[in-house]
Amino acid sequence: MELRVLQYFLAVAREQNITAAAESLHLSQPTLSTQLKAMEEELGKQLLVRGTKGSRKVTLTEEGMILRKRAEEILSLVKRTEEEISHSDDTIMGDVYIGAGETDIVRFFARAAKEIQKKYPDIHFHISSGNAEYVLEYLDKGLIDFGLLFGRVDLQKYESIPLPVKDVWGVLMPKDSPLADKEFICPEDLWDKPLIVSHQEGDDQYLAHWLQRELSDLNVVATYNLVFNASLLVDEGLGYALCLDKLINTKESSLCFRPFSPRLEASACIVWKKYQMFSKAADVFLKKLQELF
C-alpha cells in the first residue's frame, strides 16, 4: 500500500465525493476511482459505499473508518520522520509532542518550553489533551513524545520522572450550595448528594477509598473525562463534581471549589517509551524537564 494512495483515500473521506476529491488532488475522476478500487482489491475489503445515480455522496464502511484512522496516524508519523531527518546536524529545531490530562501541572511544561524558546526559537510544542487511556495509546503508537500521567506507571514499558508537585482533589459546586459554606468537604457530606465523577481508569477506586463507599452505592448522576464539561453540568445544577483543583477559574463564575478533608492528592509523572530515540528537539525538552525537577 503506497502512502500516495492513502492520501487519495483520505481526500475522498474528507470530501465525501470522488469527483470533488479528484479536483482537490488534481487528478482525473477515473484515475482516482481506479486507485481506490485497486486499494480495496489489495485489502480484500470494501472501503467505500458509492451513492446511487441520484447521489454522488460517498460514505465509509466500517473497514473504511478503520483505515481512515490508521492512515491519518501513518501520514502523521511519516511527516514527523521527514522533518526530523531533514534537519541539519548543527541546527536544533523541530516539534515536541506532549499528551496530558487536565492539570495545573501543565504550567511546568509551559515554563520549560518558554526557557527553551529563548535559546531555540525553531522548536515548537504541541499539546494534546485526553485521559490516561488516550495518552498511553498515543505514546505506544509514537504519535507523542511524552505523556503526563497520574497513578502507577508500567516500568517495563516506560521511563518516567516523578513530579515534585501534586494536584489536590475536592468538590466543584455552585456558590449558593449548602456545602459552599464549609472550608473542607468530608466523605459523609457527599453520601446523599448527586455526584459527577471522573470515569478515567483508576479514579473510581481512588475516590471510593476516600469516600468510604463504593461508587455504586452512591448517587452518581453523571461521569466525565474533561473537567470543563463537568463544570457545565454543575453550573446547570445537575450535581457536585469531584475533580482536581485549579482547572476551573472560579473567581468570576457562579462556582466554587472546596478541597477534601482528609486531604487527597494526586501524584503525577512525565512518561516516555523505553528505548525511545528522541529527536533533538524532544531531547532538549527532556533535559530541561530533568533540570527543573
Side-chain angles (χ1 to χ4, degrees), residues 118-143:
K118 293 176 183 177
K119 187 175 182 180
Y120 305 108
D122 291 324
I123 293 180
H124 305 283
F125 300 88
H126 309 274
I127 294 186
S128 301
S129 298
N131 59 18
E133 291 88 344
Y134 168 92
V135 172
L136 289 174
E137 179 184 355
Y138 272 56
L139 266 179
D140 291 341
K141 291 178 178 177
L143 299 177

Side-chain angles (χ1 to χ4, degrees), residues 122-237:
D122 291 324
I123 293 180
H124 305 283
F125 300 88
H126 309 274
I127 294 186
S128 301
S129 298
N131 59 18
E133 291 88 344
Y134 168 92
V135 172
L136 289 174
E137 179 184 355
Y138 272 56
L139 266 179
D140 291 341
K141 291 178 178 177
L143 299 177
I144 57 176
D145 301 304
F146 305 99
L148 178 60
L149 296 174
F150 290 92
R152 296 179 181 177
V153 175
D154 185 349
L155 298 179
Q156 293 186 338
K157 292 181 63 177
Y158 308 104
E159 301 283 358
S160 66
I161 301 176
L163 303 185
V165 292
K166 297 182 179 181
D167 276 343
V168 176
W169 279 94
V171 184
L172 188 68
M173 67 187 87
K175 287 179 178 177
D176 59 1
S177 164
L179 293 184
D181 295 332
K182 297 174 67 71
E183 185 177 359
F184 301 100
I185 303 301
C186 300
E188 56 268 26
D189 294 328
L190 301 173
W191 289 346
D192 62 346
K193 300 294 188 294
L195 304 180
I196 302 168
V197 302
S198 166
H199 63 64
Q200 182 164 303
E201 184 178 353
D203 281 352
D204 52 350
Q205 297 177 352
Y206 200 59
L207 291 170
H209 180 74
W210 180 85
L211 285 162
Q212 303 170 23
R213 294 285 191 280
E214 293 296 329
L215 293 184
S216 58
D217 296 330
L218 299 172
N219 183 19
V220 177
V221 296
T223 64
Y224 69 89
N225 73 331
L226 294 175
V227 178
F228 177 74
N229 289 337
S231 73
L232 298 181
L233 301 182
V234 174
D235 197 36
E236 291 298 322

Side-chain angles (χ1 to χ4, degrees), residues 79-87 95 145 277-279:
K79 181 181 178 182
R80 286 183 58 190
T81 303
E82 290 174 343
E83 290 173 349
E84 292 168 4
I85 292 175
S86 65
H87 296 156
D95 299 283
D145 301 304
M277 295 295 294
F278 284 126
S279 66

Side-chain angles (χ1 to χ4, degrees), residues 161 270 272 283-293:
I161 301 176
I270 300 160
W272 63 96
D283 191 53
V284 166
F285 182 67
L286 177 58
K287 289 177 180 177
K288 177 58 67 174
L289 291 176
Q290 291 171 328
E291 177 186 319
L292 286 176
F293 297 130

